[in-house]
Structures are given as structure tokens and as C-alpha cells.
Amino acid sequence: MITVENLSKSFWGNTGPVVALEDVTLDVPTGTITGVVGPSGSGKSTLARLVALQERPDSGVIRVDGFNTAALDPRRLRAARRRIGVVTQGDLLPQRTAAGNIALPLEQAGVDGPQRREKVGKLLDLIGLTDKAARYPDTLSPGQRARVEVARALVGDPGLLLADDPTKSLEADAAAGVLTVLDRARAELGATVLVVTSDAGVVRRIADDVAILADGRVAESGNLLSLVQDSTSQVAQSLLPSIDVAKGASAGYDRVAEVILIGFAAVGALLPEATARFSTNISVIGGGLTRVGETPVARFLLGLNGLRADQALGWITERGGVVRPQVGLARSIAA
């Protein structure tokens, strides 16, 4: 577990001190993928350097497995740094092959040849580049180079894998390949992963937990699926389909409600079953479907007609749907 408590960091700029982080508190639970998302200048790269123990904060505490890193002596601090794998960008040595780049930290640590080859082979398999082991960086695609960089960060069996904008400047397919590798690192190697990114799509694809940084502060944080259930949250606004409805499209319904459905059963079955069970006509006026990780999530604006429309909405709520009636967009149901 990595815990950041009341972290602040400032730098001296041309016009005086610049606050990069202010009173930031964040938990990175063991065995999860946590995404920190924010625009350029929000402080996310500064946070990444501090968590990697590459810099010290002005105030606040970073705890690794419960230990206050500020209290560690130099030897124990070096040991703590070795437990953190940092994914660098554009830092592969051109004169070494993909396998050679991955093996470099092991060589520097004095690991013998057979052990190095076994470890590198496993990581090449993890990133799907076994057939590219003898290729040099300039013959690899940008996405392949990024995957090699992830493998090199994993070679020391870190407890925490930290990736700062790992998909930056990559095309969609290449970015998806890098995210798949990060997910496999968590699932197959047991690594805890912290991804810092400006792309909310990265969080939607692989994160379990999320924190939004804005102007050096945590604006919102928590479990991703829990946050998307609240359509007013910043996470939901960033990740869920928007509801764009033409003027007058919601007229003529007894009830109008925004509904969020999570999971295969809810997305696939709740609305048809509510229609049949309560003899209520349910129409999707706006919204759409997306995925959070492997979980389907729907955000719909529904129009309902029928004497039991309210009961249908209540039943959907009882089965895990999040229902927000839209007051003023519906006519009264006759008694």
C-alpha cells in the first residue's frame, strides 16, 4: 500500500514560488490499478516523482507499506526505491536489443546469466514481444518500444509500478497494447500499478480507483465504479456517454428519468423486464453505452408511459440501477 498524506510541493519560478501540489492525500491500495488523471499543469507528474521517491515534498508524508519514507536512512531509502518500478519514456539504449534493454537492471545488480535470461524471457512473453527479443529499438514501433520500457521497469519485481503518461503520443492500437501489459502486470505478477495520465480513457480502460487532480489538489477520488454511479461526479462526467437530446424530444412522456446501469445483467435485461413486468412503455431518449474495464455501463435518458411508470423506476432502483427523475420534463400520470 502506498499512502500519500497532506503532500505539498512548490518550485521557484520566474515570478516567484509556484505551487505544484497542495495538501494532496491519496491511497494506492495493494494489488489495484489506480489512475491519477488531470490536465497539463495539474501537478500529476510532480506527484509521480514524489511517489517514486525521486524528490522530497515540502510537507506531508509518503508511506510505503506503512513506513514513513521521510524517516528512512539512506540505505533503507534506496531499498524502498528498488521496490518501485518507474516506466520511463524514450530511454531505451539504441545499441542494445529489446532483451538487452530489459536485462540491463539485472546486469547492474549482478544477477547471473541464466537467471537473467529466464527473467527476461518471462517478461518478453508478458508484453507479447518474444519474437522481437533480438530487435533494436529503432526497428520497433513506438508501441513496442513502450512495452519494452514497461518490461524493464518490471524486471526487479517491484511492488509498485509507476507509469507517467504511458500512452502519450501513441496511436489507439499501440496505446491499447501498453494498457493490456499494465493490466497483466497487476493480474499475473501481483504488481500494484499507479498510472498518471491526462487521458480519461486510460482510467476507463484499466483503473480500479481514480483521483482527479486540478490545480495541484485532489478534486475527487475513490473507487471508479462507485463514482460513475453518480452522474454529477467529475469522473462520471468525463467517462459516461453524454446525453444530447433534441429540443422537445422528452415531451409526451408520463415520466422522464436519467438512469445509470452497471454490469451485463443490468444493461441487458433490466429495461425489457421492467417494460413487461409493469406494462410500461420505456423509450431511450438519449445517452449510450460504454465500458469501465470489462464492465458495461449505460447512461440513458428514459421516457416512460403507463400508469405504473413510477413503480417501474422504483423496481429498477431496487435492482441496482441509479435513477434520477427529471422534474419538469414529464406530465402527470392520471389516477
Side-chain angles (χ1 to χ4, degrees):
M1 164 84 74
I2 303 293
T3 304
V4 173
E5 301 172 2
N6 308 113
L7 209 64
S8 294
K9 180 71 174 180
S10 297
F11 299 97
W12 194 261
N14 294 330
T15 59
V18 176
V19 177
L21 295 174
E22 186 174 1
D23 199 30
V24 168
T25 294
L26 175 69
D27 287 338
V28 183
T30 300
T32 67
I33 298 179
T34 297
V36 175
V37 63
S40 176
S42 62
K44 58 186 187 299
S45 290
T46 300
L47 178 62
R49 291 193 297 273
L50 293 174
V51 171
L53 307 180
Q54 296 170 345
E55 297 180 10
R56 288 190 177 273
D58 297 335
S59 61
V61 175
I62 300 170
R63 298 186 189 277
V64 179
D65 295 331
F67 292 100
N68 181 356
T69 57
L72 298 179
D73 60 42
R75 180 183 62 81
R76 295 176 69 193
L77 183 60
R78 287 193 297 272
R81 286 185 182 129
R82 286 195 293 271
R83 295 288 297 145
I84 301 171
V86 180
V87 180
T88 58
Q89 295 179 344
D91 197 30
L92 297 181
L93 297 179
Q95 71 273 24
R96 296 180 72 102
T97 63
N101 269 284
I102 297 170
L104 182 59
L106 297 178
E107 293 177 18
Q108 294 171 335
V111 177
D112 63 37
Q115 286 182 290
R116 289 202 309 268
R117 286 189 289 273
E118 180 182 5
K119 185 66 175 181
V120 170
K122 289 180 178 178
L123 288 173
L124 283 166
D125 180 64
L126 181 84
I127 65 174
L129 291 179
T130 300
D131 60 336
K132 303 292 191 296
R135 297 275 292 272
Y136 289 90
D138 63 355
T139 68
L140 299 173
S141 70
Q144 290 168 342
R145 289 196 292 272
R147 282 186 273 162
V148 171
E149 288 164 344
V150 174
R152 185 173 60 181
L154 287 167
V155 77
D157 296 319
L160 174 69
L161 180 67
L162 194 156
D164 186 357
D165 253 340
T167 61
K168 185 178 181 180
S169 302
L170 295 180
E171 295 180 354
D173 287 347
V178 173
L179 297 182
T180 296
V181 169
L182 294 176
D183 196 29
R184 291 188 69 185
R186 183 268 303 269
E188 299 180 24
L189 302 181
T192 299
V193 181
L194 177 62
V195 179
V196 176
T197 180
S198 56
D199 183 359
V202 169
V203 172
R204 178 173 53 226
R205 172 72 184 269
I206 63 170
D208 303 298
D209 290 65
V210 62
I212 294 181
L213 270 186
D215 298 323
R217 287 180 166 271
V218 175
E220 192 170 79
S221 66
N223 176 266
L224 185 55
L225 283 174
S226 296
L227 287 171
V228 298
Q229 293 183 61
D230 178 5
S231 61
T232 65
S233 73
Q234 293 186 45
V235 169
Q237 293 295 329
S238 298
L239 299 185
L240 293 183
S242 61
I243 295 179
D244 299 315
V245 179
K247 186 176 181 179
S250 59
Y253 293 101
D254 296 325
R255 289 290 180 266
V256 176
E258 179 184 341
V259 176
I260 297 174
L261 306 173
I262 297 177
F264 290 96
V267 170
L270 277 187
L271 298 187
E273 189 171 346
T275 296
R277 181 181 291 263
F278 297 97
S279 301
T280 300
N281 181 50
I282 301 178
S283 301
V284 176
I285 305 171
L289 293 165
T290 188
R291 282 181 179 266
V292 175
E294 296 301 317
T295 303
V297 178
R299 181 192 188 192
F300 295 136
L301 186 66
L302 302 180
L304 296 85
N305 280 322
L307 294 177
R308 302 176 70 191
D310 287 332
Q311 289 176 266
L313 291 174
W315 183 85
I316 291 170
T317 300
E318 291 171 1
R319 277 145 187 83
V322 180
V323 177
R324 297 180 67 221
Q326 303 297 290
V327 178
L329 296 180
R331 61 195 181 197
S332 297
I333 298 178

